[in-house]
Amino acid sequence: MIRAHDVLTGTGGRLAGELSRNALFRRVIHDSREIQPDDLFVAIQGENQDGHRYVPDAYDNGATAVLVSEDWYSRYNLGELPAIVVPDTLIALQELATYWRSLYTPHVIGITGSIGKSSTKEVIAAIAGQRFRVTRSAKSFNNEVGLPLSVLEITPDTEVVVLEMGGAYRFGEISELAEIAKPTIGVVTNVSHSHLGRMGSLEAIAETKAELVDALPESGVAVLNIDDERVRRMAERAKCTVVGYGLDETADIRATDLESHGLDGISFTLHHRRRRDHVSVPLLGRHSVHMALVGFAVGFQLGMAFEEIIAGFQQPTIQLRLLLVPGINGSTILDDTYNANPASSLAALNLLDELDARRKVAVFGDMMELGDFELEGHQMVGDRASQVADAVFVMGERGRIIGEQAKLAQPSLPVEFVADKPALLDALRAGLQEGDLVLIKGSRSLGLETVVADLRNERDEE
């Protein structure tokens, strides 16, 4: 709950219409479709849409008031409808979040990296929740709008806040988010080719991620994946304690004897604080060991016991991004459609390789925003697919590169090329067989989750 008085104090805005300074808002929301009674709707003007268009919808859905710009308000007569008016709604949202954060003193954990931010967030939140009252960013709220909204979820009872920070859109982005959130623990997972087309080079991407380390106070802790050389080097610019995690023998939190047990998760020996413990966690694929290690690293920094951390890994939310679902013709779908870049695609293929199935099928669409790495990145995935899959389906012009490379590496491999999602569905309907394990992966903009949904629905109708 947040009072109108706090909104006015945080934003410097003014009251309009019939609204008391003592009015209480249950939530601050920027999507009119999610508005419920007692919410405050913030009209954000984005690149493609202006949230002011949805002010009537917000009122209809029960918003107590709306936060709107002075320019818009001067052109539209809201009469006595309750509003808070500011020069710029995005800046006001950020200022409000900065003010709100200043009222409380929780541990704030900021997470950045090219891949794995959301899954790492869920692991850390599940672990911290074994002892503390936790607030975490919803969905992938990691930008100049989403992070402030997540900060505004902090309550007087909140002890730990877990936030995704930045999507490598521009230099200075994470620094600005850190000014709002004031993280006390910063986690950097990796630097990879995701968003290379936007940032231009891996070095530029690393520089944006390092802004989180730069922002940590001297009393803070930087938790760094030292198996990634670009992340390891960020320790040199930290003015706070650094905790390294990884497989490297110099890591503070280290794993050895790593084994994958398919759908039963992974196991390894955890080295920490002069101790060794055998660990089994229900995370899929050998690559997920880094997610487990960062969970231990942050848990220890929060003062948690080994047993509490282990209990956190049993929470169902930690398998957020990758699901096994039943498909048509007796197949099983490995749904990894949230996003795709070469690193995450190779990890998904490695997982497919580790799982048992009568036949393994790889389905790929385009990987976007790879810049100069586009050809090589798709070819790398094609090479690995040729080693793992018994059949390959590819969609789109970039996906074709994967298929062509897989065919070049393994001429006898069945590879089917399709142009779009309807053609992909038709091909999968005809091609999937009893006992197939089907990996489906592609960039978020392709919306391949609808293909998974269609295959599931058709299976239910059989």
Side-chain angles (χ1 to χ4, degrees):
M1 304 287 281
I2 182 170
R3 288 187 303 160
H5 168 78
D6 288 308
V7 178
L8 295 170
T9 301
T11 64
R14 65 179 181 87
L15 287 176
E18 295 184 352
L19 182 66
S20 166
R21 296 178 68 90
N22 293 319
L24 280 174
F25 304 118
R26 187 172 62 91
R27 301 180 305 167
V28 179
I29 301 292
H30 78 306
D31 187 337
S32 63
R33 295 167 299 183
E34 297 180 5
I35 287 290
Q36 297 177 12
D38 300 324
D39 288 343
L40 172 66
F41 172 66
V42 181
I44 300 293
Q45 184 169 354
E47 292 182 6
N48 300 315
Q49 293 198 53
D50 186 350
H52 291 90
R53 292 177 53 194
Y54 303 101
V55 166
D57 294 336
Y59 283 127
D60 288 344
N61 290 337
T64 295
V66 297
L67 183 73
V68 295
S69 73
E70 191 76 59
D71 178 66
W72 182 87
Y73 190 79
S74 67
R75 290 183 284 117
Y76 294 90
N77 181 14
L78 293 184
E80 297 303 313
L81 290 173
I84 295 174
V85 185
V86 296
D88 184 293
T89 54
L90 176 58
I91 292 174
L93 174 64
Q94 295 167 348
E95 291 175 340
L96 175 59
T98 302
Y99 162 78
W100 193 248
R101 169 68 177 91
S102 73
L103 300 179
Y104 304 104
T105 57
H107 295 286
V108 176
I109 302 162
I111 304 165
T112 193
S114 295
I115 57 176
K117 292 188 295 294
S118 294
S119 298
T120 300
K121 173 195 68 181
E122 295 299 332
V123 167
I124 292 173
I127 289 169
Q130 300 305 300
R131 178 187 290 192
F132 303 103
R133 288 181 287 274
V134 177
T135 293
R136 68 180 184 274
S137 52
K139 306 174 185 175
S140 292
F141 276 15
N142 60 21
N143 63 9
E144 72 276 10
V145 175
L147 181 131
L149 291 171
S150 298
V151 168
L152 290 170
E153 293 292 321
I154 296 173
T155 72
D157 294 331
T158 301
E159 297 171 297
V160 173
V161 184
V162 189
L163 301 171
E164 293 183 49
M165 298 184 67
Y169 289 100
R170 57 182 174 83
F171 292 114
E173 176 191 19
I174 293 178
S175 296
E176 293 167 6
L177 298 179
E179 279 294 312
I180 297 170
K182 296 291 191 295
T184 53
I185 298 175
V187 175
V188 185
T189 60
N190 47 58
V191 173
S192 81
H193 297 87
S194 180
H195 307 305
L196 184 65
R198 184 182 297 133
M199 295 305 301
S201 70
L202 288 174
E203 288 68 28
I205 293 172
E207 186 65 25
T208 66
K209 305 306 180 185
E211 291 174 10
L212 175 56
V213 177
D214 294 341
L216 294 171
E218 291 185 8
S219 59
V221 180
V223 180
L224 306 179
N225 173 10
I226 67 169
D227 291 339
D228 186 311
E229 182 58 35
R230 291 180 176 84
V231 177
R232 180 197 287 260
R233 289 200 297 266
M234 295 178 192
E236 300 169 4
R237 51 201 289 175
K239 55 183 179 288
C240 60
T241 299
V242 174
V243 174
Y245 69 93
L247 306 182
D248 190 280
E249 61 182 13
T250 63
D252 301 296
I253 308 294
R254 182 165 66 104
T256 59
D257 310 316
L258 174 61
E259 294 184 45
S260 173
H261 305 287
L263 298 181
D264 293 324
I266 60 172
S267 64
F268 55 91
T269 300
L270 177 71
H271 301 253
H272 64 105
R273 300 179 178 181
R274 300 180 182 178
R275 282 184 54 174
R276 294 186 181 186
D277 290 284
H278 183 72
V279 172
S280 295
V281 294
L283 298 174
L284 299 184
R286 293 170 63 89
H287 65 279
S288 63
V289 67
H290 286 91
M291 201 182 306
L293 291 173
V294 77
F296 279 104
V298 172
F300 290 142
Q301 290 304 310
L302 293 174
M304 298 180 68
F306 174 81
E307 292 74 18
E308 290 178 299
I309 296 172
I310 284 292
F313 281 106
Q314 307 310 312
Q315 301 301 308
T317 54
I318 68 172
Q319 288 294 352
L320 175 69
R321 293 297 182 209
L322 193 148
L323 300 171
L324 279 166
V325 297
I328 60 171
N329 304 335
S331 65
T332 300
I333 300 170
L334 189 60
D335 177 5
D336 195 11
T337 57
Y338 177 73
N339 214 337
N341 58 48
S344 65
S345 296
L346 293 173
L349 284 166
N350 290 340
L351 173 59
L352 183 65
D353 192 33
E354 294 167 13
L355 300 176
D356 292 327
R358 190 190 67 80
R359 194 175 73 131
K360 299 177 182 181
V361 179
V363 180
F364 280 99
D366 298 340
M367 296 184 291
M368 304 297 194
E369 298 183 1
L370 297 184
D372 292 341
F373 194 66
E374 181 173 282
L375 177 61
E376 183 180 351
H378 284 84
Q379 287 176 336
M380 287 171 58
V381 174
D383 277 328
R384 184 59 178 145
S386 73
Q387 299 165 2
V388 172
D390 300 300
V392 174
F393 295 76
V394 293
M395 184 186 82
E397 293 181 6
R398 299 172 184 85
R400 171 171 286 275
I401 301 171
I402 296 175
E404 289 174 345
Q405 186 66 26
K407 194 72 174 176
L408 180 65
Q410 186 66 260
S412 62
L413 179 68
V415 178
E416 186 148 357
F417 301 86
V418 299
D420 51 29
K421 285 195 288 186
L424 178 60
L425 266 174
D426 288 343
L428 292 174
R429 290 185 187 111
L432 295 188
Q433 304 171 14
E434 179 80 29
D436 284 352
L437 179 60
V438 188
L439 168 66
I440 301 183
K441 193 163 181 63
S443 280
R444 186 76 185 93
S445 59
L446 301 181
L448 288 181
E449 69 274 9
T450 62
V451 173
V452 174
D454 287 341
L455 293 176
R456 290 189 68 176
N457 292 338
E458 291 178 18
R459 178 258 182 192
D460 293 338
E461 295 171 0
E462 290 176 356

